[in-house]
Amino acid sequence: MAQEYDIVLIGAGPAGLAAGLYAARARRKTILLERDVTGGQIALTSVVENYPGFESINGFDLAQAMQQQAEKYGLEMGYAEVAALEPQGSLHLVKTTEGDYLAKAVIITGGADYNRLGVPGEERLTGRGVSYCATCDAAFFKDQEVAVVGGGDAAMDEGLFVTRYASKVYVIHRRDQLRASKILQERAFANPKMEFIWNTLVTEIMGEEAVTGLRLKNVVTGEESTLPVAAVFIFIGLSPNTGYLKGRLPMDEGGHIFVNEWMETSIPGVFAAGDIRANSARQVVSAAGDGATAAIKADHYITDHFDAKEPGT
Ligand SMILES: Cc1cc2nc3c(=O)[nH]c(=O)nc-3n(C[C@H](O)[C@H](O)[C@H](O)COP(=O)(O)OP(=O)(O)OC[C@H]3O[C@@H](n4cnc5c(N)ncnc54)[C@H](O)[C@@H]3O)c2cc1C
């Protein structure tokens, strides 16, 4: 038997947590389903400096505070991976690894996952020197030489964090300039532990039991080389978690869900908010704003389509 809720939220990042706060405060019976840990991408972020009201806060702590605030108003948390979303009359059936849920409205806040390099050695050595989370793993490589792959905000932010532990951080980037924001670029270039290797791809991660080095290729000269490092931190972008929704909702070519300004998808009663939607600013504050907008509209949707029809209302 599927459990019934007014609103089911899929994914406990900033968008889902903000939606949960608003939905619970609207007195809607709401559950937030999460397959992993609360916080999504920020759970792995060492420092957030651009969420209004906090000059500097650890991402995990910010997420915990968001969850506690929403739970105070009655938000329920459920730990399961959502595998399918199907219509069931005027309701929506949310199928998960731990059972099914029926909802009057669904808000999809599944965000995005790290992209992999897709080179030999990467999968085998993940957790043995291959990492997608500096906050989690940097401390294991104290006084050792490591590499960071990528040229965006995440690569610089996490690379700077790694310099607290490593003796040297090589930043390997496939272009000749960074995409990261100017402030992070300035900090990275000013850090004496960071050394930049431009126009270069990682073609293999070497090591038997643990990472011992990288095989590199210069995309301009074609020259191949090896770089001995004890770890490689990979930050080469993210892909939206919309695999189970393919064919169900219109998406852009990257797999982000199209919504209108109220976060409504093409299916009535189904909303998408945060990094998972097309044209998102991909920030904590914008994800939280999207979540709030979606929850307000989901509340109105339930009022219009269900409350008015229930006897005694
Ligand atoms: C390293 C790094 C540093 C960053 N630093 C900053 C910063 O300083 N400031 C800033 O504003 N932004 C920063 N960002 C971006 C910010 O973290 C994201 O924009 C924000 O987290 C997006 O929130 P979200 O709720 O949309 O998605 P996410 O944070 O991606 O959360 C989505 C959640 O949904 C869950 N989920 C996905 N699919 C399913 C499913 N099928 N079933 C159940 N659960 C599911 C995931 O496990 C995840 O917990 C950073 C991102 C990274 C990677």
Side-chain angles (χ1 to χ4, degrees):
M1 268 289 277
Q3 298 182 57
E4 290 191 30
Y5 282 85
D6 290 324
I7 302 177
V8 169
L9 309 170
I10 305 171
L17 291 163
L21 175 64
Y22 275 72
R25 281 175 60 86
R27 295 279 182 259
R28 296 298 181 186
K29 188 181 180 208
T30 305
I31 188 163
L32 172 50
L33 301 173
E34 171 56 51
R35 64 178 181 190
D36 201 345
V37 293
T38 296
Q41 294 166 54
I42 51 161
L44 307 177
T45 307
S46 58
V47 194
V48 176
E49 293 178 335
N50 52 7
Y51 191 73
F54 297 91
E55 208 167 287
S56 178
I57 185 165
N58 172 274
F60 183 77
D61 294 344
L62 179 59
Q64 291 296 310
M66 287 181 179
Q67 180 178 333
Q68 281 161 16
Q69 188 181 6
E71 283 179 324
K72 188 176 137 191
Y73 294 102
L75 174 71
E76 291 177 42
M77 294 294 299
Y79 290 93
E81 175 158 11
V82 174
L85 174 62
E86 295 169 3
Q88 188 150 119
S90 58
L91 302 177
H92 305 279
L93 181 64
V94 180
K95 292 185 167 175
T96 84
T97 45
E98 308 295 324
D100 298 346
Y101 297 83
L102 267 177
K104 294 171 182 163
V106 172
I107 306 178
I108 304 163
T109 50
D113 265 356
Y114 298 111
N115 288 338
R116 309 280 193 261
L117 283 171
V119 298
E122 181 176 23
E123 205 180 320
R124 185 170 47 85
L125 294 166
T126 292
R128 299 166 176 208
V130 174
S131 172
Y132 305 87
C133 175
T135 324
C136 319
D137 299 329
F140 297 123
F141 303 98
K142 197 165 182 297
D143 298 327
Q144 298 185 62
E145 298 201 348
V146 305
V148 166
V149 184
D153 277 351
M156 291 313 106
D157 191 27
E158 300 295 288
L160 284 162
F161 183 81
V162 178
T163 61
R164 296 185 196 181
Y165 298 93
S167 56
K168 180 157 212 152
V169 178
Y170 294 99
V171 179
I172 300 164
H173 187 39
R174 62 188 168 145
R175 302 188 201 287
D176 61 0
Q177 52 188 333
L178 302 175
R179 271 184 295 109
S181 58
K182 283 282 171 274
I183 190 157
L184 284 176
Q185 291 198 29
E186 283 162 20
R187 283 185 204 165
F189 290 138
N191 190 308
K193 284 190 182 174
M194 282 179 119
E195 184 174 324
F196 290 80
I197 302 177
W198 302 107
N199 295 317
T200 297
L201 298 176
V202 175
T203 55
E204 185 183 344
I205 300 172
M206 299 181 298
E208 288 302 319
E209 296 302 312
V211 171
T212 54
L214 304 176
R215 207 176 295 284
L216 305 178
K217 182 172 184 180
N218 185 299
V219 291
V220 177
T221 62
E223 191 186 323
E224 299 198 35
S225 59
T226 54
L227 180 73
V229 285
V232 55
F233 294 87
I234 300 165
F235 303 104
I236 51 161
L238 300 143
S239 298
N241 289 312
T242 47
Y244 68 99
L245 297 164
K246 290 268 153 64
R248 295 268 299 119
L249 290 168
M251 298 175 192
D252 67 14
E253 68 273 16
H256 301 89
I257 302 166
F258 286 121
V259 293
N260 65 13
E261 70 274 22
W262 280 106
M263 306 301 140
E264 293 171 304
T265 69
S266 59
I267 301 177
V270 176
F271 302 78
D275 282 19
I276 202 161
R277 75 163 171 98
N279 303 319
S280 149
R282 301 194 193 151
Q283 291 292 294
V284 178
V285 67
S286 57
D290 278 5
T293 302
I296 289 168
K297 196 62 183 175
D299 178 44
H300 294 172
Y301 173 84
I302 294 172
T303 301
D304 293 346
H305 292 82
F306 295 90
D307 294 353
K309 293 178 185 159
E310 280 171 13
T313 55

